[in-house]
Amino acid sequence: MTPGVLYLLASVTCSVTVAVLLKLARRYDVDVRQAIAMNYAVAALLCWAVLKPNPAALFTPSTPWAVLAALGVLLPSVFLAMAEAVRHAGIVRSDAAQRLSLFIPLLAAFLLFGEPVNGRKLAAVLLAFAALACLLLRPARWASAGGAARTAGTAATAAATAATTAATNAATTATTTVATTAAAAATTTAATTNAPTNAATNATNATNAAASERGIWLWPLAVWAGYGVIDILFKQVARAGTAFAGGLLLAFVLAGVLMLAYLLARRVRWQPRHLLAGAALGVANFGNILTYIRAHQSLPEHPALVFASMNMGVITLGTLVGALVFREPLTRINALGIALALGAIVVMAPW
């Protein structure tokens, strides 16, 4: 097994570990924002201790300053975009947007990095996207259950409304004409008084609904573009040669500073358990990024293989971990997706 493949396996394992830690963070009410900020601090320290970057190497003409600056901004931004995407569009759509970002680096592999196109690679790409389609499908029973609950709720509401109407009619019959007239006058006065407030409330609700509707597609689109561009930027960092260690450290520091500024602006309450979770996240994230860049450096002529294998490996292993550890449902279509993903990696590998 070649070093490039070993680096890919290590990167996939670290990436799935990051996903598992984030899933556990949601389960145990960890503030993911604080964890992400701590994650970049730990990643920067590990980068300094393990890679021992030479600061002078950053001032060579080959240093990709624009790439490093873009990484420093995008790394924390895409985490926040993912959180907003999950809030507005749900986990399934957000996860699909992240996985389908594979299209962007694959296109770059052939158009920007000059990888030759042949029938075998095109077949592998088609297998990869077929695998994604199968792996992203989820059982519909939760939706059916939700529909049943909504139906039951509607029936209960209708019954309550009928009972209330009957009681109201009985009370109205027993009420005197004077009382009825007074009540009608009071109702008219209240309606007139509350008209401006109701209009303002309706306008606010309409604005919120429009913003929520935009968020359903806008945030997943940001996730799709963000993850795709980050993959391309890491490939560019890998091409920087010996300067990549200092560049990676600079990207981590910039990402951490921006995340810290965001949290200070939001005036969050720092808690040790969130920071401890972030330290674990930082170790896994550093391992993920380092081995991913090493894979690109070991397989410089095969960027499409690294892009596709990384994505397919993460979603395949993530699906298996979700089924075995978190008891997430795994259908026959999902199992077919795993087989197709492995097939795509085998077909694309440079045997």
Side-chain angles (χ1 to χ4, degrees), residues 99-104 106 123-135 312 340 344:
R99 301 311 172 193
L100 290 175
S101 67
L102 171 64
F103 176 80
I104 298 175
L106 277 181
V125 170
L126 291 177
L127 280 175
F129 281 106
L132 279 175
C134 293
L135 288 168
M312 292 294 96
L340 290 175

Side-chain angles (χ1 to χ4, degrees), residues 101 168 213:
S101 67
T168 301
E213 185 69 23

Side-chain angles (χ1 to χ4, degrees), residues 238-261:
R239 299 171 74 180
T242 57
F244 99 93
L248 191 59
L249 175 61
L250 185 61
F252 283 145
V253 170
L254 179 57
V257 168
L258 291 177
M259 197 67 194
L260 178 61

Side-chain angles (χ1 to χ4, degrees), residues 226-246:
Y227 276 102
V229 172
I230 283 175
D231 275 346
I232 297 173
L233 294 177
F234 277 134
K235 170 63 178 175
Q236 294 284 36
V237 171
R239 299 171 74 180
T242 57
F244 99 93

Side-chain angles (χ1 to χ4, degrees), residues 30-119:
V30 171
D31 187 346
V32 177
R33 301 170 303 170
Q34 294 183 42
I36 290 171
M38 187 63 178
N39 142 76
Y40 288 124
V42 171
L45 288 174
L46 287 174
C47 185
W48 180 268
V50 174
L51 299 179
K52 296 179 172 57
N54 179 14
L58 286 175
F59 297 97
T60 61
S62 61
T63 301
W65 287 104
V67 171
L68 299 177
L71 271 176
V73 173
L74 281 177
L75 284 174
S77 299
V78 78
F79 268 118
L80 297 176
M82 187 66 174
E84 289 297 319
V86 169
R87 186 165 70 91
H88 287 280
I91 294 176
V92 174
R93 289 180 181 175
S94 304
D95 186 60
Q98 179 182 353
R99 301 311 172 193
L100 290 175
S101 67
L102 171 64
F103 176 80
I104 298 175
L106 277 181
L107 194 62
F110 298 118
L111 298 181
L112 296 181
F113 302 124
E115 181 164 349
V117 181
N118 55 42

Side-chain angles (χ1 to χ4, degrees), residues 2-351:
T2 64
V5 175
L6 291 175
Y7 281 129
L8 271 175
L9 290 175
S11 186
V12 166
T13 302
C14 290
S15 182
V16 173
T17 302
V18 169
V20 170
L21 290 174
L22 290 175
K23 188 177 184 69
L24 291 175
R26 295 190 186 97
R27 175 177 294 184
Y28 292 103
D29 294 325
V30 171
D31 187 346
V32 177
R33 301 170 303 170
Q34 294 183 42
I36 290 171
M38 187 63 178
N39 142 76
Y40 288 124
V42 171
L45 288 174
L46 287 174
C47 185
W48 180 268
V50 174
L51 299 179
K52 296 179 172 57
N54 179 14
L58 286 175
F59 297 97
T60 61
S62 61
T63 301
W65 287 104
V67 171
L68 299 177
L71 271 176
V73 173
L74 281 177
L75 284 174
S77 299
V78 78
F79 268 118
L80 297 176
M82 187 66 174
E84 289 297 319
V86 169
R87 186 165 70 91
H88 287 280
I91 294 176
V92 174
R93 289 180 181 175
S94 304
D95 186 60
Q98 179 182 353
R99 301 311 172 193
L100 290 175
S101 67
L102 171 64
F103 176 80
I104 298 175
L106 277 181
L107 194 62
F110 298 118
L111 298 181
L112 296 181
F113 302 124
E115 181 164 349
V117 181
N118 55 42
R120 179 171 61 86
K121 291 178 182 178
L122 288 178
V125 170
L126 291 177
L127 280 175
F129 281 106
L132 279 175
C134 293
L135 288 168
L136 291 175
L137 287 176
R138 290 290 181 265
R141 65 172 177 267
W142 294 110
S144 300
R150 284 191 297 272
T151 302
T154 302
T157 301
T161 301
T164 302
T165 301
T168 301
N169 289 339
T172 303
T173 303
T175 305
T176 63
T177 304
V178 175
T180 302
T181 304
T187 301
T188 303
T189 303
T192 304
T193 303
N194 293 332
T197 303
N198 293 338
T201 302
N202 292 337
T204 302
N205 291 339
T207 302
N208 292 338
S212 179
E213 185 69 23
R214 287 194 302 271
I216 290 176
W217 62 267
L218 185 60
W219 289 114
L221 180 62
V223 168
W224 177 78
Y227 276 102
V229 172
I230 283 175
D231 275 346
I232 297 173
L233 294 177
F234 277 134
K235 170 63 178 175
Q236 294 284 36
V237 171
R239 299 171 74 180
T242 57
F244 99 93
L248 191 59
L249 175 61
L250 185 61
F252 283 145
V253 170
L254 179 57
V257 168
L258 291 177
M259 197 67 194
L260 178 61
Y262 168 80
L263 292 176
L264 291 177
R266 300 299 296 265
R267 297 181 180 179
V268 300
R269 295 181 60 186
W270 300 91
Q271 295 187 27
R273 70 187 191 91
H274 304 322
L275 300 179
L276 184 61
L281 186 64
V283 173
N285 197 28
F286 172 73
N288 169 37
I289 293 174
L290 175 62
T291 51
Y292 183 62
I293 292 176
R294 291 297 194 193
H296 273 297
Q297 291 176 331
S298 300
L299 299 166
E301 304 301 324
H302 304 282
L305 169 66
V306 178
F307 290 138
S309 298
M310 180 65 186
N311 197 291
M312 292 294 96
V314 168
I315 193 171
T316 300
L317 182 58
T319 301
L320 291 175
V321 170
L324 297 176
V325 178
F326 296 103
R327 298 293 186 266
E328 295 178 355
L330 182 66
T331 66
R332 293 180 180 179
I333 295 296
N334 299 147
L336 174 61
I338 292 175
L340 290 175
L342 296 176
I345 294 172
V346 170
V347 171
M348 190 171 287
W351 303 107

